[in-house]
Amino acid sequence: MKKYTSMLLGTLVALVVLATSSLYIVDQRQLAILFQLGEVVDVKTSPGLYFKIPLAQNVRYFDSRILTMDTAEPERFITSEKKNVLVDLFVKWRIVDVKQYYVSVRGDEMLAQTRLAQTVNSSLRDEFGNRTVHDVVSGERDKIMEIMRQKADADARKIGVEVVDVRLKRVDLPQEVSESVYRRMEAERKRVANELRSTGSAESEKIRADADRQREVILAEAYRKAQEAKGEGDAKASAIYAAAYQPNPEFYAFYRSLEAYKQSLKNKSDMLILDPSSEFFKYLRNPGRSAK
Amino acid sequence: MGLNDPQWGRKKGNSGPPDLDQMWRNFNKKLNNLLKRKGGGGGGSSGEGGGDNPKRYSGGIGLLAGLLLLLWVASGFYIVNEGQRGIVLRFGKYVESTQAGLRWHLPYPLEVVEAVNVSGVRTVEIGYRNNVRSKVLKESLMLTDDENIIDIQFAVQYILKNPEEFLFNNREPENAVLQAAETAIREIIGKSKMDFVLYEGREQVAAKATELMQGILDRYKIGIAISKVTMQNAQPPEQVQAAFDDAVKAGQDRERQKNEGQAYANDVIPKAKGNAARLLEESEGYKQRVIASSEGEASRFKQVLVEYNKAPAVTRDRLYLDMMEQVLSNTSKILVDQKAGNNLLYLPLDKLIQASGPSSSSSVAPEAAATSAQEVMPDGAARTREAFRGRERETR
C-alpha cells in the first residue's frame, strides 16, 4: 500500500514535469517562435496553449504590441535654404513577420530600432533638403510624415517590421537662431506699438479737430439765423412805422421831434441858454398882450 | 477548510491574491492535529495494529487530495473593484472582460486575470509639470507658421474606452498619449499664425488638437478617448514678453487718446449748441421786441394823428408847450437877451455845468462858487433873476 501511494505521487510529479516541459503558453501580447535544435519549425501568432517536444524544442517570445522608437536628443537637419533645424521624432512600429524579424535582427529590439532610425534619418534628410523651414514646420508637415512612413515601412518590411506611424514631434530652430527670432519678434511688436500709439494720437487729433469744426459751424449757423431773425424784425418794424407815418409826414416830424427833445433834454446838467425874446417867452415879457 | 472558512473571507476582503504559504501552513497544522488526534485515539494499538495504519493513511491522502482540489478551485475567486475591469486570459488568450463584483475564473494556470482601471479621467501635461509655473521649456516652446516662437502649456484629459485594446495593443500606452499630444499640438501650432494662437484662436486650436490626437491614437488602436484638450497658457516667450506687454499697453494708449479726444468733443459741441441756442433765442426776442414796439409806437402816433387832424393848431401848440414845460422843468437854463447885449458876455460854462452836477458843488473854487451857486439855483425864477443881474454886471 505504501508502495502504491508513493507510485501515485511519483506519477503525479512526473506528469507535472512533463506538462511544464511540453506545454507552453503564448500570451495575447506575444508572438512566439518554436525552435527545434536551433531551427525555426513553427511561428505562433495567435495566443493560446501549445505543445512542444520536451528538450528538443524550445520557444522564444516577442512583443506583438506597437513599440516606440523615440529619439533621445533632437538632431540637426538642413533645409533647402541652408538653415539648421532641430528635429525630434518618434516611430511607432510592430513586428509582423516574426520569423523574418528573428532572422534579420536576431530578435534584438535595439538592433531593429537602430536600423529603423537609420532609415528614417536618411529619408528625413532627403525630405528636409528639398524644403524650406516654413514647409517643414507647417506647409508640408503631414506630407513629410506620410512619405517617411511609407519609406520606413518599405524598408522595415525587410526585417519583418511594420511601421505604423512616423511623426515629427518637435521641429525647432537652434538656440542661436531662436535668439534672432526673438529680436525680430521684439522689433515687430515695437512697430505695432508705435503704430498703435501714433494712430491713437492721430485719431484723437481728428476727433478734436472735427469737434472744433462742428463748433464753428454751429455758431456761425446760429449767428446767421439770429441776424436773419433780427433783420426780419427790423424790416417788419420799418414797414409798420412807414405805414403809420405815411398819412402825415409833417406832423410825424413835429411829433417825433418833440419826443426827441423830451428825451434828450431831461437832465439838470443839460444847459440851455435861451433868448427871452423868443416866441416861447412872449407871455413872459408881455403878459397882457395876446399873441400877435 | 472551505468557502465558509473565515480565512477566505478575510483574504477576499483584502482583495489581494490569497496568501498561499500561510494557507498551506494552516492547513498542515490542522492536518497534523487531525492525525495526532486519530493516532492518539489508537495510541495503544499503534504497534500491534499494523494492518490498520495504511487504510487510515490512504483515507488521509484522499482527504488531502480533496482539500487540495477544493483549495485550487477556490483560488479562482477574485474581486473586481468598482471602476475596474477584470481582463480574463485563458492560456494567454483574451476571453472576457468582467464588471465589478465577486467573480470566478478557472484556476491558475488555466486562466489569469488582470485588473485595469477604467474609471476616472487621466491627464497628461505638456509644457509643464504639476503647476503651470514649473515650465518645461523644451516642450513648451513651439514654432508657429509665421516663424515666431510661442510658449504654450496644455493639459490633455482622456479616458479608457476599451480596456482590452489599452492592455494589448501598445507597450507603454500612457507614453503614447504624451507623444501623440505633443506631435498633434505642435502640428497645429505650426500651421497657425502666432496672433491666432495667442488671442482669438485658442479654442479652435484646442478643438483641432483633440481631433488630431484622437485620429493618431485610433490608428494605434490604443483604446483611449480624448475627452478634452485645454490650453493652460499661451504666451510669447519670456525674452520678448516686455515688448508684447508694451504693444498691449500701446493699444490701451490708443484707446485712451481716442477717449480723450472724444471727451473734448463731448465738451465743446454741446457748449457750442448751447451758445447757438442762446443766440437764436436772443435774436427771436429782439425781433419780437422791435416789432411790438413799432406796433405800439405806430398805434400811439395814429391815435394822436386822428385827434391832431381834428384841431391841428391847438394840438400843435399844446404839444409844443407840454414839451417845453417838461424840458425846461428838468434842465438848467440861462436867459440871455441878445438884442440888448453885445458879444462880451462871459459865461463860465464849465463851472456852471460842474455846479449843476448832483455831487460836484463842493469842488467849485470859492470865488466862482459864490456867483455860480446863486446863478444855478434850481428855482427857475431865482436863477433868471441872477442871470439878469450877471448880465447887467457884465454889460456895465
Side-chain angles (χ1 to χ4, degrees):
Chain A
M1 274 315 240
K2 201 168 188 177
K3 212 184 261 173
Y4 171 73
T5 325
S6 54
M7 238 171 70
L8 195 76
L9 274 172
T11 329
L12 258 169
V13 169
L15 264 172
V16 167
V17 168
L18 191 70
T20 49
S21 60
S22 67
L23 292 172
Y24 65 99
I25 288 172
V26 178
D27 191 87
Q28 185 81 29
R29 286 154 285 201
Q30 285 175 332
L31 301 165
I33 299 180
L34 186 64
F35 293 95
Q36 184 170 327
L37 304 171
E39 182 196 359
V40 177
V41 288
D42 202 1
V43 171
K44 300 292 180 196
T45 53
S46 51
L49 183 68
Y50 297 102
F51 286 102
K52 64 172 179 162
I53 303 165
L55 299 174
Q57 292 186 334
N58 66 315
V59 183
R60 265 194 75 171
Y61 300 102
F62 300 93
D63 208 324
S64 70
R65 293 177 293 185
I66 292 177
L67 308 177
T68 309
M69 187 209 81
D70 197 350
T71 50
E73 279 299 308
E75 279 193 64
R76 271 171 188 259
F77 291 87
I78 291 184
T79 59
S80 63
E81 73 256 60
K82 307 280 177 281
K83 278 191 192 166
N84 268 315
V85 284
L86 293 172
V87 180
D88 193 357
L89 53 83
F90 66 88
V91 180
K92 292 280 178 185
W93 60 284
R94 186 169 56 187
I95 302 163
V96 281
D97 185 345
V98 67
K99 189 174 170 187
Q100 183 67 39
Y101 179 73
Y102 179 77
V103 171
S104 314
V105 295
R106 298 192 300 283
D108 185 346
E109 220 173 280
M110 288 314 293
L111 211 61
Q113 296 214 355
T114 314
R115 175 78 192 267
L116 276 174
Q118 283 163 357
T119 314
V120 168
N121 209 315
S122 76
S123 62
L124 195 63
R125 274 183 209 289
D126 292 347
E127 298 305 322
F128 272 47
N130 292 328
R131 287 179 172 83
T132 61
V133 173
H134 181 261
D135 288 345
V136 167
V137 170
S138 60
E140 297 180 5
R141 204 178 175 122
D142 316 347
K143 208 169 144 194
I144 292 170
M145 292 193 282
E146 183 52 30
I147 290 171
M148 291 203 319
R149 193 193 68 76
Q150 281 170 7
K151 280 191 181 176
D153 191 47
D155 186 69
R157 294 284 174 180
K158 293 177 198 158
I159 58 167
V161 164
E162 174 199 17
V163 171
V164 180
D165 207 357
V166 177
R167 292 200 66 89
L168 301 175
K169 203 155 64 174
R170 291 172 209 154
V171 182
D172 284 339
L173 299 170
Q175 188 58 36
E176 58 276 12
V177 185
S178 293
E179 286 304 321
S180 65
V181 168
Y182 292 148
R183 297 288 83 75
R184 198 204 67 224
M185 287 168 75
E186 238 169 40
E188 215 171 81
R189 283 299 127 176
K190 205 168 272 173
R191 178 179 64 73
V192 170
N194 287 346
E195 193 182 304
L196 283 174
R197 290 212 168 89
S198 54
T199 53
S201 62
E203 296 227 359
S204 167
E205 208 51 54
K206 224 157 85 183
I207 294 167
R208 282 164 201 262
D210 183 62
D212 285 343
R213 177 187 62 76
Q214 284 190 45
R215 180 182 59 186
E216 292 301 314
V217 169
I218 289 166
L219 288 178
E221 191 69 12
Y223 181 76
R224 181 177 65 75
K225 279 186 188 155
Q227 293 303 319
E228 272 172 15
K230 282 181 177 176
E232 229 171 87
D234 286 344
K236 208 159 177 186
S238 296
I240 290 164
Y241 283 132
Y245 304 151
Q246 197 58 47
N248 195 341
E250 196 278 331
F251 177 65
Y252 168 68
F254 171 72
Y255 182 81
R256 187 67 187 80
S257 300
L258 295 188
E259 265 318 293
Y261 300 154
K262 271 192 223 170
Q263 285 300 315
S264 51
L265 300 170
K266 61 181 176 189
N267 288 328
K268 288 272 183 250
S269 57
D270 296 331
M271 178 79 59
L272 286 178
I273 298 171
L274 303 167
D275 187 346
S277 62
S278 72
E279 177 69 14
F280 182 68
F281 291 110
K282 61 186 179 188
Y283 295 109
L284 189 73
R285 281 175 296 161
N286 194 355
R289 200 180 53 198
S290 66
K292 299 177 238 183
Chain B
M1 179 98 185
L3 288 180
N4 301 333
D5 195 296
Q7 288 275 347
W8 271 113
R10 211 181 62 216
K11 296 294 174 204
K12 285 288 148 190
N14 287 345
S15 82
D19 188 346
L20 288 171
D21 285 350
Q22 182 66 34
M23 276 174 5
W24 183 246
R25 254 177 277 144
N26 289 348
F27 177 71
N28 273 345
K29 211 159 71 184
K30 281 186 181 174
L31 201 67
N32 284 343
N33 287 344
L34 202 71
L35 290 177
K36 248 185 239 160
R37 220 184 300 138
K38 277 193 175 173
S45 61
S46 63
E48 41 154 37
D52 256 15
N53 253 348
K55 207 183 268 175
R56 257 191 256 148
Y57 195 39
S58 70
I61 285 173
L63 190 69
L64 177 68
L67 281 170
L68 275 172
L69 192 72
L70 258 180
L71 196 67
W72 183 63
V73 168
S75 75
F77 282 96
Y78 64 98
I79 278 183
V80 180
N81 288 330
E82 195 57 58
Q84 285 186 334
R85 262 330 122 69
I87 307 293
V88 182
L89 299 171
R90 182 179 302 152
F91 297 122
K93 186 181 167 69
Y94 167 70
V95 192
E96 59 168 348
S97 304
T98 51
Q99 303 284 339
L102 178 65
R103 306 280 161 190
W104 185 78
H105 66 82
L106 293 179
Y108 181 84
L110 306 180
E111 285 186 353
V112 290
V113 174
E114 291 186 34
V116 180
N117 204 345
V118 291
S119 77
V121 176
R122 303 174 186 216
T123 310
V124 286
E125 293 156 337
I126 311 289
Y128 71 104
R129 294 291 178 268
N130 300 326
N131 185 332
V132 177
R133 277 195 213 110
S134 53
K135 287 181 184 171
V136 182
L137 288 179
K138 203 171 72 160
E139 283 179 6
S140 69
L141 292 178
M142 299 182 192
L143 215 53
T144 62
D145 188 29
D146 39 4
E147 279 190 52
N148 289 313
I149 295 169
I150 63 168
D151 185 357
I152 194 166
Q153 279 85 36
F154 61 99
V156 178
Q157 296 176 350
Y158 65 96
I159 50 165
L160 294 195
K161 62 174 177 187
N162 191 332
E164 302 94 63
E165 286 188 348
F166 182 74
L167 202 59
F168 299 136
N169 289 349
N170 280 267
R171 190 195 278 173
E172 296 176 337
E174 267 114 352
N175 237 343
V177 177
L178 188 76
Q179 286 160 341
E182 211 181 336
T183 174
I185 203 90
R186 274 173 188 270
E187 182 173 336
I188 285 159
I189 298 294
K191 284 179 179 170
S192 311
K193 302 262 188 245
M194 181 180 66
D195 283 357
F196 179 74
V197 179
L198 285 182
Y199 308 115
E200 72 264 37
R202 297 173 67 115
E203 277 174 32
Q204 250 171 290
V205 168
K208 277 193 203 163
T210 313
E211 203 179 308
L212 187 57
M213 269 186 79
Q214 190 64 58
I216 293 167
L217 293 175
D218 285 349
R219 216 175 312 151
Y220 304 160
K221 295 194 177 64
I222 202 166
I224 280 171
I226 303 295
S227 46
K228 205 175 182 189
V229 175
T230 50
M231 206 186 276
Q232 301 293 309
N233 202 1
Q235 283 192 335
E238 269 165 46
Q239 288 91 329
V240 295
Q241 191 84 55
F244 272 76
D245 288 349
D246 190 53
V248 173
K249 261 189 262 165
Q252 298 297 324
D253 283 353
R254 188 179 74 160
E255 289 310 307
R256 180 177 55 75
Q257 279 174 319
K258 267 200 217 170
N259 283 338
E260 279 173 6
Q262 200 59 54
Y264 174 78
N266 288 351
D267 178 46
V268 160
I269 293 172
K271 272 188 186 167
K273 282 186 179 157
N275 285 338
R278 165 156 287 279
L279 271 177
L280 288 178
E281 292 304 327
E282 276 175 0
S283 68
E284 190 59 30
Y286 171 85
K287 179 176 151 185
Q288 300 294 347
R289 176 171 62 79
V290 166
I291 291 172
S293 59
S294 71
E295 276 171 350
E297 281 172 35
S299 162
R300 180 179 168 192
F301 179 77
K302 274 185 207 160
Q303 288 172 47
V304 173
L305 184 64
V306 170
E307 295 312 316
Y308 172 79
N309 283 337
K310 289 178 187 165
V314 171
T315 310
R316 216 178 161 93
D317 274 356
R318 183 185 60 78
L319 286 172
Y320 176 70
L321 290 174
D322 272 0
M323 183 275 290
M324 284 307 281
E325 184 185 53
Q326 198 180 334
V327 167
L328 289 179
S329 67
N330 280 333
T331 50
S332 314
K333 50 232 157 249
I334 300 166
L335 284 177
V336 179
D337 194 346
Q338 291 208 321
K339 270 182 276 178
N342 51 40
N343 289 337
L344 292 173
L345 174 67
Y346 165 72
L347 286 174
L349 276 178
D350 53 339
K351 297 276 171 56
L352 293 176
I353 288 169
Q354 266 183 357
S356 66
S359 63
S360 52
S361 56
S362 61
S363 63
V364 177
E367 198 197 333
T371 45
S372 64
Q374 285 164 338
E375 277 168 344
V376 227
M377 290 255 284
D379 182 76
R383 221 185 317 167
T384 25
R385 201 173 55 233
E386 290 296 319
F388 284 139
R389 244 200 304 155
R391 185 179 55 91
E392 279 159 19
R393 207 167 45 227
E394 298 293 334
T395 50
R396 235 186 295 152

